[in-house]
């Protein structure tokens, strides 16, 4: 590679800095504004403003945001050679002024982050709003230093010219490489990737209880246990991770029983299971009578008839409690796991009133 | 609801929570409906050898009301019995601040951490300690009215002049709508706020930031802050954990805010079991979820007891559980990792 080519690359690197810095500044400003708008208060803009007295935090947050917006815009409009050479509306001094101001801004930001890390190690830098919630670390400080260096390198450089042929590709490569380096130094990069690609796991999904009850009441499990269930009002209802459990009072072969249904937390076609458990004196914690398992709806369980359930009543309490996990009779599937696969499952809202009524009745009876 | 967490009258409270029975019943029913039989077609065996029991090991904490205090022996009255505890030269106490055990008086409500190596010996004693966390509802010359959630109701916090500066530094906005979390002394139904338990969030309680868009790891294992609360209507030595993310539908009415909190936490229920690990001491304990920690969801603070914890409160422990896990009550928190017991 000739000296001339190396010089050309260095010039390209210097001139790419202005648009890179502009993108960073405008992006940071937009992220902060987005956070403030969502929270409905400027107080949401944390970060280095936590170093200031309470009264000064709000103005400081506004000033930081305004600086980012102004510097980003200034860097952007002074990128073309016309501004650089003084042949356009702006002269070269304006371009250098914007770049020097950006250098000063990033240096101040770096110092603020160092100070914040020392005095408030629990506070995130807030550089990119909601994405910057992790405590300030070395990476954030190094990023500010790198940006300050980049701004300084761009001072006095020529305007960004888009050469024909391979020169444009080289500029693009430099541009991408620099963003890659910045991304590696940014704790926010992981948050962005995860936000783009992640769906909500069932453990976190909010599904109202009435919808669960509606899906249950439509299922064939409910119809099969109808002869055992003695009341439409559940005696207990709880949610744990990906399943919601509903317990109804029942009677099997003259003995009181609990009919328990497990309904998967799923917006459509939830898996449903059921079992009849004969009533007995509840075991005292921490005696374990049954093994909890990670729900695995894909693995069906074999059926057990009600008669089999009843025959186990005479067994020991532990045995009874485990083995009365009976699978209802008459299931057309090899296991008791059922998917409420009818199209009506997807229109659960039409069945909400009975579910709501049952839920209200349960809450009322519990309150009494 | 001033005085709700006042002195526990001696020997008149034998209330059982019923949570353990509920938990056992729910686990039985859950196992019945979800258990997968083995190849022989039988249901799997119980997990008696599974996770550590919540009641395993000798008690590390006792609590009660002081009926007699001498330089060497402390007699406390519990729900159904009295207990004599030996005081050693190394035994330390807290009563609004570091104090000598001789400062304890008859009628003081104490929580005692027992010496693990010697039976019946007190290692550390906290007298009349209390905590109020919630949303400021009102402030006047008489004090600050705090909404501590549906379970704990409204409580009045009085900040004595000597503690004003210390609290103002960490809680600059003692105004309606903002959060407060203060540790102090309960004296005959009056709560004196003395120590800020955390730094005040900059946001109002009705403007809690939305949850972080990402989870930093598997949902069954969460890191964050563990705090403590006083059990309501139960003795102070009752163990348990108030969990911030109970299924809201079956009546978890303890929710002053529609926000789901800062930490993405899976839904659990009363009776679920959670393994709580104190990251500072390495001690862990399997605890039952006994109530809803709605107020804990509003805080997105970090604990810096040992290093800096991830943001957000993942567990609000009963006072006894907090001490058992090696927490110091006056510090207010410890860095914790919780593991959901599936």
């Amino acid at each position: 590679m000739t000296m001339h080519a190396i010089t050309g690359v260095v010039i390209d690197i210097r001139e790419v800095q202005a648009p890179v810095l502009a993108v960073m500044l405008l992006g940071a400003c937009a992220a902060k504004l987005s956070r403030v708008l969502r929270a409905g208060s400027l107080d949401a803009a944390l970060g280095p403003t936590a170093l200031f007295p309470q009264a000064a935090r709000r103005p400081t947050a506004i000033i930081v945001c305004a600086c980012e917006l102004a510097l980003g815009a200034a860097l952007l409009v002074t990128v073309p050679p016309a501004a650089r050479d003084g042949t356009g509306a702006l002269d070269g001094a304006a371009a250098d002024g914007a770049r020097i101001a950006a250098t000063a801004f990033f240096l101040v930001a770096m110092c603020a982050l160092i100070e914040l890390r020392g005095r408030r190690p629990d506070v995130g830098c807030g550089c990119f709003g909601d994405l910057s919630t992790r405590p300030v670390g070395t990476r954030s400080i190094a990023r500010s230093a790198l940006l300050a260096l980049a701004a300084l390198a761009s001072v006095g450089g020529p305007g960004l010219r888009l050469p024909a042929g391979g020169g444009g590709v080289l500029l693009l490569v430099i541009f991408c490489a620099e963003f890659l380096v910045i991304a590696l130094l940014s704790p926010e990069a992981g948050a962005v990737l995860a936000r783009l690609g992640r769906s909500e796991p069932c453990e976190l999904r909010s599904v109202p209880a009435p919808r669960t009850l509606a899906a249950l009441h439509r299922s064939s499990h409910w119809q099969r246990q109808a002869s055992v269930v003695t009341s439409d009002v559940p005696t207990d209802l709880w949610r744990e991770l990906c399943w919601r459990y509903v317990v109804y009072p029942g009677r099997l072969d003259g003995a009181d029983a609990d009919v328990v249904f497990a309904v998967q937390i799923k917006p459509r076609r939830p898996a449903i299971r059921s079992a009849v458990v004969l009533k007995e004196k509840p075991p005292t914690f921490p005696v374990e009578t049954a093994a909890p398992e990670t729900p695995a709806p894909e693995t069906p369980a074999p059926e057990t008839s009600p008669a089999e359930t009843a025959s186990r009543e005479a067994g020991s309490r532990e045995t009874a409690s485990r083995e009365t996990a009976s699978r209802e009779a008459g299931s057309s599937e090899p296991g008791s796991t059922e998917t409420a696969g009818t199209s009506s499952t997807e229109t659960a809202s039409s069945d909400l009133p009975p579910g709501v009524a049952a839920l209200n009745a349960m809450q009322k009876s519990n309150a009494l | 609801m001033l005085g709700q967490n006042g002195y526990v009258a001696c020997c008149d409270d034998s209330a059982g929570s019923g949570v353990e029975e509920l938990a056992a019943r729910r686990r039985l029913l859950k196992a019945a409906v979800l258990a997968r039989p083995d190849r022989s077609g039988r249901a799997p065996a119980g997990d008696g050898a599974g996770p550590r029991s919540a009641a395993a090991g000798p008690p590390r904490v006792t609590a009660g009301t002081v009926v007699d205090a001498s330089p060497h022996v402390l007699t406390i009255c519990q729900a159904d019995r009295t207990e004599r505890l030996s005081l050693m030269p190394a035994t330390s106490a807290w009563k609004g601040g570091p104090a000598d055990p001789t400062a304890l008086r008859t009628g003081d409500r104490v929580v005692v951490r027992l010496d693990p190596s010697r039976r019946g010996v007190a290692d550390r004693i906290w007298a009349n300690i209390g905590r109020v966390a919630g949303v400021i509802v009102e402030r006047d010359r008489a004090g600050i009215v705090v909404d501590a959630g549906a379970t704990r109701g409204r409580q009045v916090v009085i900040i004595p002049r000597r503690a004003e500066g210390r609290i103002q530094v960490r809680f600059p906005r003692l105004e309606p709508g903002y959060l407060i979390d203060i540790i102090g002394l309960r004296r005959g139904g009056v709560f004196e706020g003395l120590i800020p338990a955390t730094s005040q969030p900059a946001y109002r309680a009705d403007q809690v930031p939305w949850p972080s868009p990402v989870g930093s790891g598997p949902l069954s294992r969460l890191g964050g802050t563990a705090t403590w609360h006083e059990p309501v209507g139960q003795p102070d030595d009752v163990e348990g954990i108030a969990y911030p993310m109970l299924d809201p539908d079956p009546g978890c009415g303890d929710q002053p805010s529609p926000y789901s909190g800062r930490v993405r936490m899976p839904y659990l229920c009363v009776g679920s079991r959670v393994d709580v690990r104190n990251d500072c001491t390495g001690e862990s304990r399997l605890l039952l979820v006994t109530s809803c920690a709605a107020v804990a969801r509003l805080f997105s603070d970090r604990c810096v007891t040992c290093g800096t914890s991830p943001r957000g409160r993942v567990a609000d422990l009963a006072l006894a559980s907090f001490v058992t896990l090696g927490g110091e009550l006056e510090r207010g928190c410890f860095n914790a990792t919780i593991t959901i017991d599936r």
Side-chain angles (χ1 to χ4, degrees), chain A residues 191-249:
Chain A
V192 171
L193 290 176
R195 179 178 278 193
L196 291 175
R198 187 171 175 137
S199 62
E200 186 137 270
C202 60
E203 291 99 323
L204 303 176
R205 201 172 293 145
S206 178
V207 174
R211 190 189 292 181
T212 301
L213 293 177
L216 171 63
H217 291 161
R218 274 197 311 271
S219 71
S220 60
H221 272 261
W222 175 255
Q223 291 162 9
R224 287 175 207 145
Q225 302 286 15
S227 60
V228 183
V229 173
T230 56
S231 170
D232 286 343
V233 180
T235 55
D236 198 2
L237 187 151
W238 73 97
R239 152 104 183 256
E240 193 169 18
L241 302 172
C242 292
W243 291 84
R244 180 169 272 133
Y245 304 87
V246 193
V247 182
Y248 288 89

Side-chain angles (χ1 to χ4, degrees), chain B residues 292-303:
Chain B
C292 188
V295 169
R297 282 211 306 272
L298 304 178
F299 288 88
S300 60
D301 49 355
R302 300 178 194 271
C303 188

Side-chain angles (χ1 to χ4, degrees), chain B residues 172-262:
Chain B
R173 288 189 171 177
L174 295 176
E175 303 163 15
Y178 284 88
L179 291 163
I180 191 171
D181 187 359
I182 287 187
I183 293 167
L185 277 175
R186 291 198 182 276
R187 297 176 193 263
V190 175
F191 179 81
E192 274 186 14
L194 299 174
I195 305 171
T198 184
S199 292
Q200 189 173 40
Y203 49 81
R204 290 171 58 91
D206 56 359
Q207 293 170 352
V208 177
W210 291 103
S212 175
V214 289
S216 55
L219 283 171
S220 58
R221 193 174 168 83
L222 301 164
T225 298
T227 56
W228 61 270
H229 68 270
E230 299 164 86
V232 177
Q234 294 172 16
D236 283 341
D237 56 358
V238 166
E239 291 213 42
I241 170 176
Y243 186 74
M245 205 62 190
L246 290 194
D247 186 8
D249 289 322
C252 178
D254 198 355
Q255 297 181 65
S257 165
Y259 295 93
S260 58
R262 192 70 182 169

